[in-house]
Amino acid sequence: AQSVTQPDIHITVSEGASLELRCNYSYGATPYLFWYVQSPGQGLQLLLKYFSGDTLVQGIKGFEAEFKRSQSSFNLRKPSVHWSDAAEYFCAVGAGSSASKIIFGSGTRLSIRP
Amino acid sequence: ETGVTQTPRHLVMGMTNKKSLKCEQHLGHNAMYWYKQSAKKPLELMFVYSLEERVENNSVPSRFSPECPNSSHLFLHLHTLQPEDSALYLCASSQGPGMDSPLHFGNGTRLTVT
């Protein structure tokens, strides 16, 4: 069965600094990979997804993520964070063809230091 | 503005009450989902409906009863809940039930069981 781990529960970075959020997955084949963001009081919004092809994927709000098969990782990056990026970030992995097979990580809460 | 609307935003109920959560999607999607989000736990899939038919029930206690009268509306009927059922309940929809259809989430209903 697939699983996903987000090792960092809470990260604080300064506004304007670069950001990398870690995500590791476990799955026997090439998985579907997703990053979602949840702002306070809101639902989850899809930032980006990887299904196949180019291992560096671009998403909304200036985020990107890189799929590294050898490390079973799909880390999320942003070169310069803004105060509005403060939120909870969820990595998710999907196996099979049904969206009901998407497993979400426990999330990483991002705080921005002024 | 989200294309998935959930009401109410907040709900407090006693253990003997009966209440319902409502979800409406304005995106023309064919699949709808209920998720439970508890503090410090990964998002848990509860139910999946595709074209108004329930296609997945992830071992959810019978005190939670879903209803999907049409492809735009999804309800979660609640009765004799327990305090541990307190959580954020998120509704989502997707174009189809396949993995390549992104999930669109509502803002959730924050449920407190007293």
Side-chain angles (χ1 to χ4, degrees), chain A residues 72-108:
Chain A
S72 298
S73 69
F74 189 58
N75 294 348
L76 182 71
R77 300 194 295 249
K78 186 170 185 177
S80 176
V81 298
H82 185 262
W83 64 266
S84 60
D85 293 324
E88 187 102 21
Y89 290 80
F90 295 91
C91 181
V93 58
S97 58
S98 170
S100 66
K101 303 305 181 188
I102 296 175
I103 302 295
F104 287 84
S106 298
T108 297

mmCIF file of all heavy atoms in Angstrom, chain A residues 72-108:
data_model
loop_
_atom_site.group_PDB
_atom_site.id
_atom_site.type_symbol
_atom_site.label_atom_id
_atom_site.label_comp_id
_atom_site.label_asym_id
_atom_site.label_seq_id
_atom_site.Cartn_x
_atom_site.Cartn_y
_atom_site.Cartn_z
ATOM 1 N N SER A 72 12.559 8.735 -3.708
ATOM 2 C CA SER A 72 11.129 8.629 -3.364
ATOM 3 C C SER A 72 10.638 9.935 -2.756
ATOM 4 O O SER A 72 9.965 9.949 -1.717
ATOM 5 C CB SER A 72 10.880 7.462 -2.403
ATOM 6 O OG SER A 72 11.223 6.239 -2.995
ATOM 7 N N SER A 73 11.001 11.027 -3.416
ATOM 8 C CA SER A 73 10.644 12.332 -2.861
ATOM 9 C C SER A 73 9.932 13.192 -3.889
ATOM 10 O O SER A 73 10.061 12.996 -5.109
ATOM 11 C CB SER A 73 11.892 13.056 -2.352
ATOM 12 O OG SER A 73 12.729 13.433 -3.430
ATOM 13 N N PHE A 74 9.197 14.139 -3.373
ATOM 14 C CA PHE A 74 8.475 15.110 -4.211
ATOM 15 C C PHE A 74 8.424 16.391 -3.406
ATOM 16 O O PHE A 74 7.405 16.790 -2.869
ATOM 17 C CB PHE A 74 7.086 14.586 -4.545
ATOM 18 C CG PHE A 74 6.331 15.402 -5.567
ATOM 19 C CD1 PHE A 74 6.844 15.629 -6.828
ATOM 20 C CD2 PHE A 74 5.070 15.914 -5.268
ATOM 21 C CE1 PHE A 74 6.143 16.368 -7.775
ATOM 22 C CE2 PHE A 74 4.357 16.649 -6.207
ATOM 23 C CZ PHE A 74 4.900 16.876 -7.458
ATOM 24 N N ASN A 75 9.552 17.083 -3.310
ATOM 25 C CA ASN A 75 9.664 18.272 -2.471
ATOM 26 C C ASN A 75 9.123 19.505 -3.165
ATOM 27 O O ASN A 75 9.306 19.705 -4.364
ATOM 28 C CB ASN A 75 11.118 18.501 -2.071
ATOM 29 C CG ASN A 75 11.650 17.392 -1.174
ATOM 30 O OD1 ASN A 75 10.896 16.557 -0.662
ATOM 31 N ND2 ASN A 75 12.954 17.379 -0.985
ATOM 32 N N LEU A 76 8.496 20.339 -2.404
ATOM 33 C CA LEU A 76 7.898 21.577 -2.902
ATOM 34 C C LEU A 76 8.851 22.738 -2.648
ATOM 35 O O LEU A 76 9.424 22.839 -1.559
ATOM 36 C CB LEU A 76 6.571 21.831 -2.179
ATOM 37 C CG LEU A 76 5.767 23.055 -2.605
ATOM 38 C CD1 LEU A 76 5.172 22.843 -3.986
ATOM 39 C CD2 LEU A 76 4.660 23.346 -1.588
ATOM 40 N N ARG A 77 9.002 23.609 -3.630
ATOM 41 C CA ARG A 77 9.937 24.721 -3.494
ATOM 42 C C ARG A 77 9.299 26.028 -3.969
ATOM 43 O O ARG A 77 8.391 26.029 -4.817
ATOM 44 C CB ARG A 77 11.208 24.470 -4.304
ATOM 45 C CG ARG A 77 11.969 23.217 -3.895
ATOM 46 C CD ARG A 77 13.340 23.209 -4.487
ATOM 47 N NE ARG A 77 13.317 23.124 -5.947
ATOM 48 C CZ ARG A 77 13.720 22.076 -6.642
ATOM 49 N NH1 ARG A 77 14.142 20.987 -6.006
ATOM 50 N NH2 ARG A 77 13.710 22.094 -7.956
ATOM 51 N N LYS A 78 9.827 27.106 -3.382
ATOM 52 C CA LYS A 78 9.475 28.440 -3.862
ATOM 53 C C LYS A 78 10.684 29.314 -3.614
ATOM 54 O O LYS A 78 11.245 29.310 -2.516
ATOM 55 C CB LYS A 78 8.240 28.988 -3.148
ATOM 56 C CG LYS A 78 7.758 30.316 -3.725
ATOM 57 C CD LYS A 78 6.404 30.725 -3.168
ATOM 58 C CE LYS A 78 5.912 31.996 -3.864
ATOM 59 N NZ LYS A 78 4.566 32.419 -3.408
ATOM 60 N N PRO A 79 11.120 30.079 -4.603
ATOM 61 C CA PRO A 79 12.363 30.852 -4.443
ATOM 62 C C PRO A 79 12.259 32.008 -3.458
ATOM 63 O O PRO A 79 13.248 32.364 -2.810
ATOM 64 C CB PRO A 79 12.649 31.364 -5.864
ATOM 65 C CG PRO A 79 11.391 31.194 -6.627
ATOM 66 C CD PRO A 79 10.604 30.119 -5.979
ATOM 67 N N SER A 80 11.074 32.593 -3.306
ATOM 68 C CA SER A 80 10.925 33.743 -2.436
ATOM 69 C C SER A 80 9.499 33.749 -1.879
ATOM 70 O O SER A 80 8.543 33.969 -2.627
ATOM 71 C CB SER A 80 11.209 35.041 -3.201
ATOM 72 O OG SER A 80 10.979 36.169 -2.385
ATOM 73 N N VAL A 81 9.372 33.519 -0.588
ATOM 74 C CA VAL A 81 8.029 33.407 -0.015
ATOM 75 C C VAL A 81 7.471 34.779 0.340
ATOM 76 O O VAL A 81 8.197 35.735 0.629
ATOM 77 C CB VAL A 81 8.010 32.502 1.232
ATOM 78 C CG1 VAL A 81 8.422 31.089 0.870
ATOM 79 C CG2 VAL A 81 8.868 33.063 2.344
ATOM 80 N N HIS A 82 6.148 34.824 0.334
ATOM 81 C CA HIS A 82 5.411 36.040 0.669
ATOM 82 C C HIS A 82 4.597 35.750 1.919
ATOM 83 O O HIS A 82 4.268 34.597 2.216
ATOM 84 C CB HIS A 82 4.506 36.402 -0.523
ATOM 85 C CG HIS A 82 3.780 37.695 -0.376
ATOM 86 N ND1 HIS A 82 2.466 37.769 0.056
ATOM 87 C CD2 HIS A 82 4.171 38.967 -0.616
ATOM 88 C CE1 HIS A 82 2.079 39.030 0.067
ATOM 89 N NE2 HIS A 82 3.086 39.771 -0.324
ATOM 90 N N TRP A 83 4.231 36.794 2.652
ATOM 91 C CA TRP A 83 3.485 36.579 3.897
ATOM 92 C C TRP A 83 2.206 35.801 3.629
ATOM 93 O O TRP A 83 1.735 35.033 4.482
ATOM 94 C CB TRP A 83 3.170 37.914 4.585
ATOM 95 C CG TRP A 83 2.260 38.815 3.802
ATOM 96 C CD1 TRP A 83 2.622 39.803 2.951
ATOM 97 C CD2 TRP A 83 0.819 38.774 3.781
ATOM 98 N NE1 TRP A 83 1.513 40.394 2.404
ATOM 99 C CE2 TRP A 83 0.393 39.791 2.891
ATOM 100 C CE3 TRP A 83 -0.149 37.998 4.426
ATOM 101 C CZ2 TRP A 83 -0.958 40.042 2.643
ATOM 102 C CZ3 TRP A 83 -1.481 38.251 4.176
ATOM 103 C CH2 TRP A 83 -1.876 39.262 3.290
ATOM 104 N N SER A 84 1.649 35.957 2.442
ATOM 105 C CA SER A 84 0.389 35.277 2.131
ATOM 106 C C SER A 84 0.571 33.779 1.919
ATOM 107 O O SER A 84 -0.420 33.046 1.771
ATOM 108 C CB SER A 84 -0.252 35.898 0.889
ATOM 109 O OG SER A 84 0.621 35.776 -0.220
ATOM 110 N N ASP A 85 1.814 33.312 1.891
ATOM 111 C CA ASP A 85 2.056 31.874 1.726
ATOM 112 C C ASP A 85 1.894 31.112 3.037
ATOM 113 O O ASP A 85 1.940 29.871 3.048
ATOM 114 C CB ASP A 85 3.463 31.622 1.175
ATOM 115 C CG ASP A 85 3.627 32.124 -0.252
ATOM 116 O OD1 ASP A 85 2.653 32.019 -1.028
ATOM 117 O OD2 ASP A 85 4.719 32.644 -0.573
ATOM 118 N N ALA A 86 1.728 31.831 4.146
ATOM 119 C CA ALA A 86 1.523 31.161 5.431
ATOM 120 C C ALA A 86 0.250 30.319 5.360
ATOM 121 O O ALA A 86 -0.841 30.832 5.093
ATOM 122 C CB ALA A 86 1.411 32.197 6.543
ATOM 123 N N ALA A 87 0.397 29.021 5.572
ATOM 124 C CA ALA A 87 -0.719 28.090 5.402
ATOM 125 C C ALA A 87 -0.233 26.697 5.788
ATOM 126 O O ALA A 87 0.908 26.502 6.212
ATOM 127 C CB ALA A 87 -1.199 28.089 3.947
ATOM 128 N N GLU A 88 -1.115 25.731 5.617
ATOM 129 C CA GLU A 88 -0.759 24.319 5.812
ATOM 130 C C GLU A 88 -0.613 23.699 4.430
ATOM 131 O O GLU A 88 -1.445 23.913 3.555
ATOM 132 C CB GLU A 88 -1.862 23.596 6.588
ATOM 133 C CG GLU A 88 -1.522 22.180 6.996
ATOM 134 C CD GLU A 88 -1.125 22.066 8.464
ATOM 135 O OE1 GLU A 88 -1.476 22.960 9.238
ATOM 136 O OE2 GLU A 88 -0.449 21.083 8.810
ATOM 137 N N TYR A 89 0.448 22.928 4.257
ATOM 138 C CA TYR A 89 0.733 22.332 2.955
ATOM 139 C C TYR A 89 0.676 20.811 3.074
ATOM 140 O O TYR A 89 1.280 20.224 3.981
ATOM 141 C CB TYR A 89 2.108 22.777 2.452
ATOM 142 C CG TYR A 89 2.125 24.237 2.070
ATOM 143 C CD1 TYR A 89 2.246 25.228 3.043
ATOM 144 C CD2 TYR A 89 1.973 24.642 0.746
ATOM 145 C CE1 TYR A 89 2.225 26.565 2.716
ATOM 146 C CE2 TYR A 89 1.954 25.980 0.396
ATOM 147 C CZ TYR A 89 2.087 26.932 1.385
ATOM 148 O OH TYR A 89 2.056 28.261 1.046
ATOM 149 N N PHE A 90 -0.048 20.199 2.149
ATOM 150 C CA PHE A 90 -0.238 18.754 2.178
ATOM 151 C C PHE A 90 0.300 18.126 0.902
ATOM 152 O O PHE A 90 -0.067 18.532 -0.200
ATOM 153 C CB PHE A 90 -1.726 18.403 2.309
ATOM 154 C CG PHE A 90 -2.347 18.841 3.601
ATOM 155 C CD1 PHE A 90 -2.939 20.082 3.719
ATOM 156 C CD2 PHE A 90 -2.324 18.005 4.710
ATOM 157 C CE1 PHE A 90 -3.514 20.496 4.917
ATOM 158 C CE2 PHE A 90 -2.890 18.404 5.910
ATOM 159 C CZ PHE A 90 -3.477 19.657 6.013
ATOM 160 N N CYS A 91 1.132 17.138 1.087
ATOM 161 C CA CYS A 91 1.572 16.295 -0.012
ATOM 162 C C CYS A 91 0.635 15.095 -0.084
ATOM 163 O O CYS A 91 0.134 14.631 0.947
ATOM 164 C CB CYS A 91 3.003 15.831 0.247
ATOM 165 S SG CYS A 91 3.734 14.800 -1.028
ATOM 166 N N ALA A 92 0.377 14.619 -1.286
ATOM 167 C CA ALA A 92 -0.527 13.477 -1.434
ATOM 168 C C ALA A 92 -0.013 12.567 -2.534
ATOM 169 O O ALA A 92 0.599 13.024 -3.505
ATOM 170 C CB ALA A 92 -1.951 13.934 -1.755
ATOM 171 N N VAL A 93 -0.251 11.289 -2.362
ATOM 172 C CA VAL A 93 0.165 10.299 -3.348
ATOM 173 C C VAL A 93 -1.027 9.460 -3.745
ATOM 174 O O VAL A 93 -1.863 9.109 -2.915
ATOM 175 C CB VAL A 93 1.303 9.418 -2.788
ATOM 176 C CG1 VAL A 93 0.883 8.702 -1.513
ATOM 177 C CG2 VAL A 93 1.778 8.417 -3.812
ATOM 178 N N GLY A 94 -1.117 9.170 -5.017
ATOM 179 C CA GLY A 94 -2.222 8.363 -5.514
ATOM 180 C C GLY A 94 -1.709 7.140 -6.237
ATOM 181 O O GLY A 94 -0.706 7.202 -6.937
ATOM 182 N N ALA A 95 -2.415 6.043 -6.048
ATOM 183 C CA ALA A 95 -2.062 4.803 -6.720
ATOM 184 C C ALA A 95 -3.304 4.262 -7.389
ATOM 185 O O ALA A 95 -4.401 4.365 -6.859
ATOM 186 C CB ALA A 95 -1.516 3.790 -5.723
ATOM 187 N N GLY A 96 -3.153 3.707 -8.538
ATOM 188 C CA GLY A 96 -4.309 3.205 -9.244
ATOM 189 C C GLY A 96 -4.968 4.304 -10.046
ATOM 190 O O GLY A 96 -4.406 5.367 -10.256
ATOM 191 N N SER A 97 -6.155 4.061 -10.466
ATOM 192 C CA SER A 97 -6.817 4.989 -11.381
ATOM 193 C C SER A 97 -7.866 5.864 -10.713
ATOM 194 O O SER A 97 -8.304 6.848 -11.291
ATOM 195 C CB SER A 97 -7.485 4.201 -12.508
ATOM 196 O OG SER A 97 -8.419 3.283 -11.954
ATOM 197 N N SER A 98 -8.248 5.551 -9.490
ATOM 198 C CA SER A 98 -9.349 6.270 -8.856
ATOM 199 C C SER A 98 -8.841 7.332 -7.901
ATOM 200 O O SER A 98 -7.920 7.101 -7.119
ATOM 201 C CB SER A 98 -10.240 5.285 -8.097
ATOM 202 O OG SER A 98 -11.174 5.986 -7.297
ATOM 203 N N ALA A 99 -9.493 8.500 -7.961
ATOM 204 C CA ALA A 99 -9.119 9.581 -7.051
ATOM 205 C C ALA A 99 -9.377 9.211 -5.601
ATOM 206 O O ALA A 99 -8.829 9.824 -4.690
ATOM 207 C CB ALA A 99 -9.877 10.855 -7.411
ATOM 208 N N SER A 100 -10.194 8.221 -5.370
ATOM 209 C CA SER A 100 -10.428 7.793 -3.994
ATOM 210 C C SER A 100 -9.210 7.113 -3.397
ATOM 211 O O SER A 100 -9.160 6.868 -2.196
ATOM 212 C CB SER A 100 -11.628 6.841 -3.943
ATOM 213 O OG SER A 100 -11.336 5.632 -4.621
ATOM 214 N N LYS A 101 -8.218 6.809 -4.218
ATOM 215 C CA LYS A 101 -6.992 6.158 -3.728
ATOM 216 C C LYS A 101 -5.904 7.164 -3.394
ATOM 217 O O LYS A 101 -4.741 6.800 -3.224
ATOM 218 C CB LYS A 101 -6.478 5.171 -4.783
ATOM 219 C CG LYS A 101 -7.489 4.114 -5.179
ATOM 220 C CD LYS A 101 -8.020 3.329 -4.004
ATOM 221 C CE LYS A 101 -9.007 2.273 -4.450
ATOM 222 N NZ LYS A 101 -9.674 1.618 -3.293
ATOM 223 N N ILE A 102 -6.233 8.422 -3.311
ATOM 224 C CA ILE A 102 -5.263 9.439 -2.931
ATOM 225 C C ILE A 102 -5.084 9.415 -1.418
ATOM 226 O O ILE A 102 -6.058 9.480 -0.671
ATOM 227 C CB ILE A 102 -5.708 10.832 -3.400
ATOM 228 C CG1 ILE A 102 -5.754 10.888 -4.935
ATOM 229 C CG2 ILE A 102 -4.760 11.902 -2.869
ATOM 230 C CD1 ILE A 102 -6.297 12.199 -5.463
ATOM 231 N N ILE A 103 -3.826 9.323 -0.992
ATOM 232 C CA ILE A 103 -3.496 9.356 0.434
ATOM 233 C C ILE A 103 -2.800 10.672 0.727
ATOM 234 O O ILE A 103 -1.850 11.042 0.031
ATOM 235 C CB ILE A 103 -2.563 8.192 0.814
ATOM 236 C CG1 ILE A 103 -3.206 6.846 0.458
ATOM 237 C CG2 ILE A 103 -2.219 8.249 2.302
ATOM 238 C CD1 ILE A 103 -4.453 6.534 1.238
ATOM 239 N N PHE A 104 -3.252 11.359 1.769
ATOM 240 C CA PHE A 104 -2.677 12.653 2.127
ATOM 241 C C PHE A 104 -1.678 12.502 3.269
ATOM 242 O O PHE A 104 -1.854 11.669 4.173
ATOM 243 C CB PHE A 104 -3.785 13.624 2.564
ATOM 244 C CG PHE A 104 -4.641 14.125 1.439
ATOM 245 C CD1 PHE A 104 -5.718 13.389 0.976
ATOM 246 C CD2 PHE A 104 -4.365 15.339 0.829
ATOM 247 C CE1 PHE A 104 -6.513 13.835 -0.062
ATOM 248 C CE2 PHE A 104 -5.154 15.808 -0.213
ATOM 249 C CZ PHE A 104 -6.227 15.056 -0.664
ATOM 250 N N GLY A 105 -0.628 13.326 3.237
ATOM 251 C CA GLY A 105 0.282 13.412 4.362
ATOM 252 C C GLY A 105 -0.345 14.193 5.501
ATOM 253 O O GLY A 105 -1.454 14.731 5.373
ATOM 254 N N SER A 106 0.367 14.247 6.599
ATOM 255 C CA SER A 106 -0.148 14.922 7.795
ATOM 256 C C SER A 106 -0.031 16.429 7.726
ATOM 257 O O SER A 106 -0.581 17.133 8.574
ATOM 258 C CB SER A 106 0.586 14.424 9.036
ATOM 259 O OG SER A 106 0.377 13.039 9.212
ATOM 260 N N GLY A 107 0.697 16.930 6.737
ATOM 261 C CA GLY A 107 0.775 18.367 6.553
ATOM 262 C C GLY A 107 1.990 19.012 7.190
ATOM 263 O O GLY A 107 2.544 18.506 8.171
ATOM 264 N N THR A 108 2.409 20.137 6.618
ATOM 265 C CA THR A 108 3.458 20.987 7.177
ATOM 266 C C THR A 108 2.894 22.387 7.296
ATOM 267 O O THR A 108 2.409 22.949 6.309
ATOM 268 C CB THR A 108 4.706 21.019 6.281
ATOM 269 O OG1 THR A 108 5.274 19.715 6.201
ATOM 270 C CG2 THR A 108 5.737 21.998 6.842
#
